[in-house]
Amino acid sequence: MKLLLQNGTVVNGQESGKKDILLDGEIICRVDTEISPEEADEVVDLEGKLVFPGFIDAHTHFDLEVSGTVTADDFESGTLAAIAGGTTTIVDFATQNKGETLREALANWHKKADGRSSCDYGFHMAISDWNEEISAQIKDMIEAGVTTFKLYMTYPAMKLNDGEIYEVLKRLHDMGGIAGVHCENADIIDALIREARSQGRLDADTHPRVRPAQLEAEAVHRLLVTARTAGTPIIVVHLTCEETYREIEQARAGGQEVYAETCPQYLLMDDSLYVQGGAEAAKYVISPPLRKKKDQECLWKALKEDRIQTVSTDHCSFTTGQKAMGKEDFTKIPNGMPGVETRGTLLYTYGVREGRISPEQMCRVLSENPAKLYGMYPQKGCIAAGSTADLVILDPEKEAVISADTQHYAMDYAPFEGTKIKGCIDKVYLHGTLVVDEGTVQVKKAGRYVPRQKYTAPQ
């Protein structure tokens, strides 16, 4: 069946304009200034609406066992929230527990996601053990469509040392893979935690003090030296602050291939939220922590200058009950917050509407660049003939207020509770099928596994 979407403003990474889109089943077959309704079996008028390629969130943690619990959102609730928010593809972290093979980790994540996902999904492979056997399995992962990897410089259950990170990056260089890295100096963080304990500072407001910005920047510096030595491109995930950004820019000035991701919480929230202490502060315990307002300004400027390639969410949700595990000791608070449902509308409201970024830049950081960086372009990430018909229709004039009462998460609070939005998700098409209409999810569990190609450098 051919479907014609008429009169919408089509937003791609390089240009926007009023165009018609003709879908033939799951594929976009034409994009033109005027397409005759006679060519279609059905016509939908999108006058006044913006049409984006389906958003891609390449940083989610669904159904993850961590901190003595399991994230509140599994693939069922997490991808339901994602599709409601215009995200048609997520890339989650298949996590290798200590002692597991990469094959076992990938099989575990397929069991969690297959048949339960309302948007398309792929996997990064998070490596916690490194040896010759695991090195050999990198080839198996790439053949299975897992072409990107995650490394941690912190967290005891996941941390690799610098030598191991070098060896992983060297192997990825040989195989054409790429890694995103969580950068914080674990040893100094542990020392600061011991110091805080000795002083009896165990409330949630201590969390940002033991993970200061300089420890993120130092770890990024170390990673960049390691990646340069290995001759491997690298992705710095959840960039939070000006100090870290300066390290990235210095490496780029020296000719190094470095990509950066940030998240809505680092663009729109700051560390004053920790001053509340107790249960309220615990809601915002994430790692790295929220930073200063000056860091927000730096990140927005970097987005404006196209120096940050992607905006993902690091969606890692826990209920207030789970957060209360650390009521007496902040180190036991599960780190993370939700985000997949509100990323697009927040970026439109506080980025595009306020003139901080253009609609085309929004498209690049939410769709085009992640599609390229994570091996899905041009099937995803653009509105063009031959691409998959994953489309987000945004109503730029519709207003809403973020509330836990209306979200799709398996959560009892919303970090952005009460935040006003102007620019709401109206419709979402997944593989050419209308799955969200007038903001309401109509079709669930239609997501498919996406085996990915090797990365392409975003322009």
Side-chain angles (χ1 to χ4, degrees), residues 6 32 140 166 183 189 194 199 202 213 216 292-293 295 339 351 357 391 412 452:
Q6 271 192 328
D32 212 333
D140 299 333
Y166 167 79
C183 301
I189 287 169
R194 289 193 294 272
Q199 296 170 355
L202 294 173
E216 178 187 338
K292 306 290 185 185
K293 287 192 180 297
D295 296 305
I357 58 172
L391 301 166
D412 57 349
R452 295 174 294 112

Side-chain angles (χ1 to χ4, degrees), residues 21-77:
I21 307 168
L22 186 64
L23 313 185
D24 188 355
E26 300 186 0
I27 303 297
I28 297 169
C29 62
R30 277 185 67 195
V31 182
D32 212 333
T33 51
E34 189 173 348
I35 299 174
S36 171
E38 293 179 2
E39 295 187 41
D41 301 299
E42 182 183 348
V43 179
V44 176
D45 184 11
L46 299 179
E47 184 69 45
K49 307 293 198 306
L50 302 178
V51 188
F52 288 88
F55 302 149
I56 298 168
D57 190 343
H59 195 147
T60 66
H61 298 280
F62 298 145
D63 204 354
L64 176 67
E65 295 178 24
V66 64
S67 300
T69 186
V70 182
T71 53
D73 284 308
D74 59 13
F75 279 85
E76 189 169 335
S77 64

Side-chain angles (χ1 to χ4, degrees), residues 82-292:
I83 201 73
T87 292
T88 54
T89 307
I90 58 101
V91 189
D92 202 80
F93 293 93
T95 300
Q96 174 209 28
N97 297 314
K98 297 283 187 185
E100 286 184 340
T101 66
L102 302 187
R103 297 187 195 98
E104 288 170 334
L106 182 57
N108 289 342
W109 251 256
H110 270 296
K111 287 177 187 174
K112 294 170 187 278
D114 293 352
R116 306 185 69 201
S117 299
S118 292
C119 68
D120 283 357
Y121 57 97
F123 303 122
H124 309 284
M125 179 54 63
I127 298 173
S128 67
D129 258 353
W130 185 250
N131 52 49
E132 289 186 10
E133 181 186 359
I134 300 303
S135 178
Q137 289 176 25
I138 296 291
K139 182 174 183 289
D140 299 333
M141 294 299 101
I142 290 176
E143 289 175 351
V146 178
T147 56
T148 50
F149 298 81
K150 175 74 175 289
L151 307 176
Y152 290 85
M153 300 175 78
T154 189
Y155 300 137
M158 295 302 300
K159 178 178 176 288
L160 298 182
N161 64 42
D162 291 348
E164 290 168 329
I165 289 174
Y166 167 79
E167 291 176 356
V168 174
L169 297 184
K170 192 71 176 174
R171 176 65 168 157
L172 294 183
H173 174 270
D174 295 341
M175 296 301 299
I178 193 168
V181 186
H182 180 133
C183 301
E184 291 182 282
N185 186 312
D187 291 342
I188 300 180
I189 287 169
D190 288 345
L192 290 174
I193 288 172
R194 289 193 294 272
E195 187 177 289
R197 276 211 174 96
S198 71
Q199 296 170 355
R201 295 186 288 112
L202 294 173
D203 191 70
D205 65 355
T206 302
H207 174 73
R209 300 183 217 171
V210 302
R211 303 184 99 97
Q214 63 264 29
L215 299 190
E216 178 187 338
E218 185 279 333
V220 166
H221 176 84
R222 198 160 17 107
L223 170 70
L224 295 174
V225 170
T226 305
R228 186 170 72 245
T229 305
T232 307
I234 200 73
I235 305 167
V236 175
V237 300
H238 46 50
L239 168 64
T240 76
C241 62
E242 185 175 2
E243 285 182 67
T244 299
Y245 179 65
R246 285 201 301 264
E247 294 287 349
I248 292 170
E249 285 293 275
Q250 184 175 348
R252 287 170 171 167
Q256 199 166 347
E257 190 176 353
V258 187
Y259 303 103
E261 163 204 275
T262 194
C263 309
Q265 55 269 34
Y266 300 121
L267 292 166
L268 297 170
M269 293 178 167
D270 65 73
D271 61 358
S272 65
L273 289 164
Y274 296 119
V275 176
Q276 306 168 90
E280 282 303 306
K283 294 176 181 178
Y284 305 97
V285 167
I286 59 176
S287 290
L290 302 174
R291 303 299 189 193
K292 306 290 185 185

Side-chain angles (χ1 to χ4, degrees), residues 47-50 84 344-346 348-350 353 393-402 406 408 419-428 436-442:
E47 184 69 45
K49 307 293 198 306
L50 302 178
T345 52
L346 285 169
Y348 183 78
T349 301
Y350 296 99
R353 291 197 73 92
I393 317 304
L394 187 144
D395 184 340
E397 297 305 317
K398 187 172 180 180
E399 299 182 1
V401 177
I402 294 175
T406 55
H408 292 80
T419 300
K420 294 180 180 179
I421 295 297
K422 188 169 184 180
C424 295
I425 306 303
D426 180 50
K427 302 179 192 298
V428 179
V436 176
D437 190 20
E438 296 183 352
T440 301
V441 179
Q442 305 289 330

